[in-house]
Amino acid sequence: MPPVLFEERLLDSGARLGVATLNIPEKLNALSLELVGLLLAKLRAWSTDDRICAVVLEGAGTRAFCAGGDVLAIHRSGGAKDGQSYARAFFAVEYTLDHLIHTFGKPILAWGSGIVMGGGVGLLAGCSHRIATETTRLAMPEVAIGLYPDVGGSYILSRVPERLGLFLALTGATIGGSDARLLGLVDRLVRADEKARVLAAVPWNDLVETPCEPGPLERQHAAVVRACRHDTLEEVVAAIVALNGDEWLTKAQHGLQAACPGSLRLSWEAQARARTMSLADVFRMEHDLSIRRVQDADFAEGVRARLVDKDQKPRWSPATLGAATAAWAAPFFVPLSTPEAHPLRAL
């Protein structure tokens, strides 16, 4: 079966609705180079097809919209040994796809039910209509494997009010639809069993939301905001770790304490830069940063400890946040090419 399915549904108006279904449910619809390439080509075609009035992005199965990029495929590509040819191709196509979604000239709806993580957030974030349900579990957990929130995450999370996007980046915390709505990461909350009704309501101007209880982040809102107000990364980390809260907050604290110190620093630095950059420039920055990062030993070690050996005992380098200074991080942000030669120069 192909990794993504495409369908054009005839509407009562005579126009057509383009539907793209990520189709690897056994891998939680994780993104491969083949998948993002097929999706990019089809969205480009639909963007200029006058018969297509709107587009839907969804995931096959009930467990996930998209659990992110297939990091094992990047890991297996050989790291620096082969010049990261797979990683270079993957990031260039994935970020071009994400940017196209952000700038798509027609309504585009993401049915963000189930797991929405990493690269899945990258697909969802740029859509004009971002839907969450009671099963939505959204997170950017890249710091756990030696990466950082990419796919435009530096841009997106740096613009979440009250620095709560920074909290998500540093802890990798998972939030539900209610908290995602609070942070502006989704636009509407509806029940999962209302999917057919929602998709039939093109162009989705009057979607009725489903009332829901406050999520754990909303309940901990004041304390988390205070913790994230500090001026330095070290102060923010210490303040988050010192919070007293419920099971959700404790899990977020554990995620922070187990995160790669270098990834925490790179997340902090990337968001600081992204606050004053255009979306296209952020994608170009993230492309170069991601290439450098997957060539670094921390990525290989993070994937080994979390996904391959699963001993959950990564040996990070640098091993402490104190050693992962701004000066240490600076070389990761040096451009890999001139602007004229950049793979994403056309964005």
Side-chain angles (χ1 to χ4, degrees):
M1 291 290 290
V4 56
L5 303 175
F6 301 109
E7 178 187 0
E8 296 182 7
R9 298 177 186 172
L10 184 63
L11 304 175
D12 292 341
S13 64
R16 293 178 180 272
L17 175 68
V19 180
T21 305
L22 310 184
N23 190 40
I24 319 176
E26 67 277 11
K27 291 187 176 181
L28 302 177
N29 301 316
L31 301 177
S32 64
L33 177 56
E34 181 186 10
L35 190 158
V36 294
L38 291 169
L39 187 53
L40 174 61
K42 180 59 73 173
L43 288 185
R44 280 174 166 166
W46 279 344
S47 71
T48 59
D49 187 339
D50 292 339
R51 299 172 301 170
I52 300 295
C53 68
V55 171
V56 169
L57 299 180
E58 63 177 8
T62 60
R63 296 176 62 199
F65 168 63
C66 174
D70 187 348
V71 295
L72 284 174
I74 297 174
H75 177 69
R76 288 192 296 265
S77 71
K81 295 178 183 177
D82 66 353
Q84 276 296 324
S85 58
Y86 181 93
R88 287 175 182 272
F90 178 76
F91 290 128
V93 176
E94 183 186 26
Y95 295 174
T96 300
L97 169 63
D98 292 334
H99 185 266
L100 175 62
I101 292 171
H102 276 272
T103 58
F104 208 68
K106 301 175 182 181
I108 180 166
L109 181 145
W111 184 257
S113 194
I115 295 170
V116 185
M117 295 186 179
V121 177
L123 295 179
L124 175 139
C127 291
S128 59
H129 297 74
R130 303 165 298 176
I131 305 300
T133 75
E134 72 276 11
T135 71
T136 296
R137 297 294 179 268
L138 186 149
M140 297 291 276
E142 292 84 354
V143 294
I145 58 168
L147 293 177
Y148 70 101
D150 63 327
V151 294
S154 307
Y155 182 95
I156 298 156
L157 296 180
S158 68
R159 285 159 174 78
V160 172
E162 301 176 300
R163 301 181 84 179
L164 292 175
L166 177 64
F167 177 83
L168 295 184
L170 298 180
T171 63
T174 299
I175 57 175
S178 177
D179 281 330
R181 180 74 172 88
L182 173 72
L183 301 187
L185 298 175
V186 300
D187 302 299
R188 293 288 186 274
L189 293 171
V190 299
R191 293 199 309 271
D193 61 7
E194 293 188 324
K195 182 178 182 180
R197 175 187 67 81
V198 170
L199 298 192
V202 182
W204 309 304
N205 293 328
D206 300 304
L207 293 179
V208 177
E209 284 198 89
T210 301
C212 61
E213 295 295 323
L217 178 55
E218 184 172 358
R219 294 193 294 269
Q220 299 285 343
H221 177 267
V224 172
V225 169
R226 285 195 300 271
C228 292
R229 282 178 180 162
H230 293 280
D231 294 330
T232 69
L233 173 59
E234 292 82 355
E235 290 172 324
V236 169
V237 168
I240 293 173
V241 171
L243 292 173
N244 292 314
D246 56 14
E247 181 180 355
W248 173 83
L249 182 55
T250 299
K251 187 174 182 179
Q253 291 168 319
H254 288 166
L256 174 59
Q257 291 170 305
C260 172
S263 292
L264 296 178
R265 175 61 65 185
L266 293 175
S267 299
W268 173 274
E269 296 292 333
Q271 286 199 29
R273 288 164 168 78
R275 291 188 189 101
T276 58
M277 296 170 68
S278 70
L279 178 62
D281 282 340
V282 168
F283 275 119
R284 285 185 277 265
M285 175 189 73
E286 288 188 349
H287 171 275
D288 294 357
L289 174 56
S290 295
I291 295 298
R292 291 188 184 279
R293 195 57 181 157
V294 299
Q295 292 175 341
D296 189 79
D298 271 345
F299 172 67
E301 178 62 9
V303 173
R304 181 205 64 76
R306 307 298 191 198
L307 302 177
V308 179
D309 297 339
K310 299 182 180 180
D311 60 22
Q312 307 305 322
K313 296 180 180 179
R315 296 178 292 274
W316 304 122
S317 179
T320 66
L321 188 58
T325 62
W328 169 87
F332 285 92
F333 293 93
V334 175
L336 289 171
S337 65
T338 64
E340 295 77 16
H342 199 283
L344 303 184
R345 60 188 176 278
L347 296 186

